[in-house]
């Protein structure tokens, strides 16, 4: 078709006629566009988004039925052998692209997920697109190298973090509230500071002794440097005070440092005991408490993540049977110390159905959502989210058209809006903020009682140790005082004991073994 053969139509006043040329598949199409003058930014946006690139063209979109697996991404229905797309995030995205590019969709039932055949070719829905049976895949798939060699991916339309799901331990379980209140670097700093203070106290005392300028108090403090510094750290001091400025500065630094620490530690401890806390705070705790990790097969990187969390080699035989059905995974996380690696939009809808099937209550859905929020804890196991997208035939000429519109969906927030709407439908809304402030109260009363008991035990132990050392010191000091007051008497007694021992040894008729 040539432009000269088209019917000449006079443009309206203050406007011009333009023609847009489209090459779609094997056909060439022309679209008439009226451009009003003078041009404005709104006109340019309209010109950019004007439909017509795929006019009168139907595209075959293949989709795997997600009826029971994941209603979030794509809802499908088969009725009287008729395969239809009925809803879901991916259907909204493809419909938005169809509206802006003005084409219609013909649904095609996907045979299976994308797989790798023995001869290196793609299987399932990947083979349908690669052979031309379908023009585009409506279901998102992961960007995996063997797939990218056979098909062309569009910009990512879907992304999700990979999480581990475990059953939250009850609040009455023992929690390490003492050492978890502070970071490990803070505890390390305090230990180094205590050792350095002890060394400096002992060092200054030794240096003053060498110079002959040490006082009696400084000598006492230097001899008991470790106990002296420990007393300063405990805000208790010592029975003597140092005379030198250097040692007093050490005491002052220790007092101020530990006052700040105790204030922060006490505030954190009260906060921990006043709020609902979990024993497992991060994915590292899964390794610490020896959780066994399983996967429902939705995350292909689950085996690698399980190997990382459990600290095992990828060739370990115990990791070979970790991909199990979702129902079996739910049974395991509720019956043993186990976790499930998956995605929130896969786990929560299926878990709700699983719990509803075992409940006969009329309000089972509401109660199941409350149970999920109460029981299930979600932990991020990798910082790199899973990214997926639609795909076409390799080197398809349609790729730049689709990518352009997908980028616009990203820039204008339309994709984010779709994602938010469907996330709210599939993921339970847990952790809602209270309408009014809640007064502070102890939530974990058992841990608070245990802290008091531990304090009493330590106090009693220290008291008994002090009493024992006090009695021993009194006996030792009394003996030293007697020796110093009557040195000749103790010398005679020692000599008499030596003479008696020699007489017994040299006495004939006695044999000693």
């Amino acid at each position: 078709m040539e432009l000269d053969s088209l019917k000449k139509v006079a443009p309206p006043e203050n406007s011009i006629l333009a023609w847009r040329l489209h090459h779609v598949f094997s056909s060439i199409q022309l679209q008439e566009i009226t451009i009003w003058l003078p041009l404005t930014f709104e006109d340019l946006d309209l010109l950019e988004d004007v439909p017509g690139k795929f006019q009168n063209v139907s595209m075959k979109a293949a989709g795997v039925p997600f009826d029971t697996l994941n209603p979030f991404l794509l809802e499908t229905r088969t009725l009287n052998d008729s395969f239809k797309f009925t809803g879901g995030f991916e259907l909204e995205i493809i419909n938005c692209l169809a509206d802006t590019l003005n084409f219609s969709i013909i649904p095609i039932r996907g045979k299976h997920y994308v797989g790798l055949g023995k001869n290196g070719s793609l299987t399932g829905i990947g083979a349908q697109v690669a052979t031309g049976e379908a023009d585009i895949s409506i279901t998102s798939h992961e960007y995996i190298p063997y797939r990218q060699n056979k098909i062309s991916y569009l910009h990512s339309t879907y992304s999700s973090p990979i999480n581990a799901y475990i059953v939250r331990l009850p609040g009455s379980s023992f929690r390490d509230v003492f050492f978890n209140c502070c970071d490990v670097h803070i505890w390390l700093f305090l230990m180094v500071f205590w050792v350095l203070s002890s060394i400096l106290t002992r060092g200054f005392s030794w240096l003053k002794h060498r110079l002959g300028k040490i006082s009696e108090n400084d000598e006492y403090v230097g001899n008991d440097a470790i106990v002296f510094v420990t007393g300063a750290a405990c805000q208790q001091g010592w029975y003597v005070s140092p005379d030198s400025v250097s040692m007093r500065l050490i005491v002052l630094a220790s007092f101020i440092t530990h006052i700040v620490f105790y204030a922060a530690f006490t505030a954190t401890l009260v906060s921990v005991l006043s709020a609902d806390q979990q024993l497992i705070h991060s994915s590292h705790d899964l390794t610490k408490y020896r959780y066994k990790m399983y996967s429902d097969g939705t995350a292909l990187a689950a085996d690698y993540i399980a190997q990382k969390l459990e600290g095992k080699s990828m060739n370990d035989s115990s990791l070979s049977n970790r991909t199990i059905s979702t129902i079996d995974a739910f049974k395991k996380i509720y019956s043993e110390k186990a976790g499930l690696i998956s995605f929130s939009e896969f786990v929560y809808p299926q878990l709700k159905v699983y719990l509803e099937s075992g409940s006969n209550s009329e309000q089972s859905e509401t109660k199941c959502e409350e149970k999920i929020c109460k029981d299930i804890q979600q932990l991020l196991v990798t910082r790199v989210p899973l990214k997926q997208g639609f795909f076409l035939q390799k080197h398809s000429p349609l790729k730049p058209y689709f990518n352009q519109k997908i980028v616009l969906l990203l820039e204008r927030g339309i994709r984010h809006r779709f994602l938010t709407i469907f996330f709210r439908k599939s993921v339970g809304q847990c952790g809602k903020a209270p309408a009014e402030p809640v007064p502070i109260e102890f939530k974990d009363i058992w841990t608070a009682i245990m802290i008091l008991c531990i304090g009493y035990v330590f106090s009693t132990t220290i008291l008994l140790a002090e009493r024992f050392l006090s009695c021993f010191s009194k006996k030792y000091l009394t003996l030293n005082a007697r020796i110093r007051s009557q040195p000749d008497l103790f010398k005679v007694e020692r000599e008499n004991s030596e003479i008696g021992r020699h007489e017994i040894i040299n006495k004939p008729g006695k044999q000693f073994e």
Side-chain angles (χ1 to χ4, degrees):
M1 184 183 296
E2 297 180 359
L3 290 175
D4 293 339
S5 62
L6 295 175
K7 183 179 180 180
K8 303 294 184 181
V9 180
E13 189 177 359
N14 298 327
S15 66
I16 59 174
L17 290 179
W19 297 90
R20 176 174 285 172
L21 180 67
H22 306 286
H23 179 232
V24 182
F25 298 113
S26 59
S27 64
I28 298 177
Q29 300 178 14
L30 290 173
Q31 177 190 8
E32 180 181 339
I33 303 173
T34 301
I35 302 177
W36 298 89
L37 300 177
L39 285 175
T40 63
F41 286 107
E42 290 78 9
D43 295 332
L44 292 176
D45 288 339
L46 181 63
L47 181 64
E48 177 67 24
D49 293 335
V50 67
K53 287 188 176 180
F54 297 110
Q55 218 146 13
N56 301 323
V57 174
S58 297
M59 297 196 64
K60 296 174 289 184
V64 178
F66 281 108
D67 295 337
T68 58
L69 181 61
N70 185 13
F72 166 75
L73 292 181
L74 181 65
E75 293 178 359
T76 61
R77 184 174 55 132
T78 303
L79 182 63
N80 298 328
D81 296 330
S82 176
F83 180 73
K84 295 182 179 180
F85 304 137
T86 58
F89 164 73
E90 291 170 335
L91 181 62
E92 294 293 340
I93 293 293
I94 201 72
N95 282 338
C96 188
L97 296 177
D99 290 340
T100 56
L101 296 174
N102 197 14
F103 65 85
S104 58
I105 300 175
I106 300 177
I108 295 181
R109 183 184 180 92
K111 297 177 180 178
H112 203 271
Y113 303 105
V114 177
L116 183 63
K118 295 182 179 180
N119 59 354
S121 61
L122 296 180
T123 61
I125 195 174
Q128 290 177 280
V129 173
T131 58
E133 182 183 347
D135 298 316
I136 187 173
S137 164
I138 191 175
T139 57
S140 297
H141 285 76
E142 296 177 61
Y143 295 82
I144 300 178
Y146 79 82
R147 296 174 179 174
Q148 291 178 303
N149 292 332
K150 309 291 183 181
I151 52 181
S152 293
Y153 275 94
L154 299 178
H155 281 304
S156 58
T157 56
Y158 168 77
S159 63
S160 175
I162 303 177
N163 304 312
Y165 298 87
I166 62 174
V167 175
R168 185 180 286 109
L169 295 178
S172 59
S173 60
F174 176 73
R175 296 184 290 119
D176 184 10
V177 296
F178 290 105
F179 295 101
N180 281 340
C181 285
C182 297
D183 190 79
V184 63
H185 298 94
I186 296 178
W187 290 112
L188 183 61
F189 165 78
L190 291 173
M191 183 61 64
V192 172
F193 182 78
W194 177 78
V195 173
L196 181 61
S197 300
S198 302
I199 294 175
L200 289 177
T201 303
R202 181 62 180 170
F204 281 124
S205 176
W206 176 82
L207 183 61
K208 290 179 178 296
H209 188 273
R210 290 289 302 269
L211 296 176
K213 298 179 180 180
I214 188 170
S215 64
E216 185 177 2
N217 286 352
D218 289 346
E219 186 175 4
Y220 285 150
V221 170
N223 293 335
D224 298 323
I226 295 178
V227 183
F228 170 72
V229 174
T230 304
C234 297
Q235 309 292 299
Q236 297 300 321
W238 193 233
Y239 69 95
V240 293
S241 298
D243 296 325
S244 61
V245 177
S246 56
M247 291 188 180
R248 289 185 176 183
L249 287 176
I250 295 174
V251 178
L252 181 62
S254 182
F255 264 95
I256 294 176
T257 301
H258 287 88
I259 283 176
V260 175
F261 169 73
Y262 286 139
F265 182 83
T266 304
T268 307
L269 188 60
V270 171
S271 175
V272 168
L273 295 176
S274 302
D276 293 328
Q277 297 287 328
Q278 296 94 16
L279 182 65
I280 308 298
H281 295 277
S282 64
S283 59
H284 300 288
D285 292 332
L286 298 176
T287 306
K288 177 180 177 181
Y289 292 98
R290 300 183 180 277
Y291 272 77
K292 192 174 183 179
M293 306 309 300
Y294 292 93
S295 169
D296 57 4
T298 55
L300 297 182
D303 290 340
Y304 173 77
I305 296 172
Q307 171 257 337
K308 285 291 186 182
L309 292 177
E310 297 188 16
K312 296 181 179 180
S313 170
M314 286 297 295
N315 299 324
D316 196 309
S317 58
S318 63
L319 295 175
S320 58
N321 298 322
R322 296 303 176 87
T323 302
I324 58 179
S325 66
T326 307
I327 302 300
D328 291 338
F330 292 154
K331 293 179 180 178
K332 286 187 177 294
I333 65 175
Y334 270 102
S335 61
E336 59 185 76
K337 190 183 288 186
L340 172 63
I341 300 175
S342 185
F343 308 101
S344 59
E345 59 273 18
F346 282 84
V347 171
Y348 288 107
Q350 296 182 81
L351 182 57
K352 185 165 62 174
V353 174
Y354 171 75
L355 295 176
E356 287 176 358
S357 62
S359 175
N360 297 323
S361 174
E362 296 180 356
Q363 298 179 350
S364 59
E365 182 176 357
T366 302
K367 291 186 176 181
C368 288
E369 289 182 355
E370 293 177 355
K371 182 174 177 58
I372 292 174
C373 294
K374 181 180 178 181
D375 291 350
I376 302 301
Q377 182 178 350
Q378 175 180 306
L379 300 168
L380 184 66
V381 295
T382 174
R383 295 184 178 180
V384 181
L386 175 79
K387 288 187 176 294
Q388 300 181 165
F390 303 151
F391 56 85
L392 308 163
Q393 287 182 331
K394 194 69 176 177
H395 307 301
S396 171
L398 305 178
K399 183 176 180 179
Y401 297 115
F402 281 106
N403 276 342
Q404 179 194 23
K405 296 304 177 183
I406 291 174
V407 169
L408 290 176
L409 292 179
L410 296 173
E411 290 179 347
R412 297 176 181 180
I414 300 176
R415 170 191 165 276
H416 177 72
R417 179 173 177 79
F418 287 155
L419 216 76
T420 303
I421 292 173
F422 285 98
F423 260 120
R424 290 175 179 173
K425 292 181 180 180
S426 61
V427 180
Q429 299 298 307
C430 303
K432 296 180 179 179
E436 57 184 17
V438 179
I440 293 179
E441 60 180 1
F442 282 116
K443 299 289 185 180
D444 193 353
I445 188 65
W446 295 110
T447 305
I449 293 175
M450 188 175 296
I451 291 174
L452 294 176
C453 292
I454 292 174
Y456 282 124
V457 170
F458 272 106
S459 299
T460 305
T461 303
I462 294 173
L463 176 61
L464 294 176
E466 288 179 346
R467 295 294 298 175
F468 174 77
L469 292 176
S470 177
C471 293
F472 179 78
S473 300
K474 286 181 179 179
K475 291 182 179 180
Y476 179 75
L477 293 175
T478 302
L479 181 60
N480 277 345
R482 290 182 59 191
I483 293 175
R484 291 180 180 180
S485 62
Q486 298 177 347
D488 295 336
L489 177 60
F490 280 88
K491 182 178 181 182
V492 171
E493 290 180 357
R494 186 166 56 252
E495 290 176 354
N496 290 338
S497 62
E498 291 291 333
I499 293 172
R501 186 170 64 86
H502 283 293
E503 287 179 352
I504 293 173
I505 293 175
N506 296 328
K507 189 174 182 179
K510 292 290 184 178
Q511 299 293 331
F512 292 88
E513 294 182 0

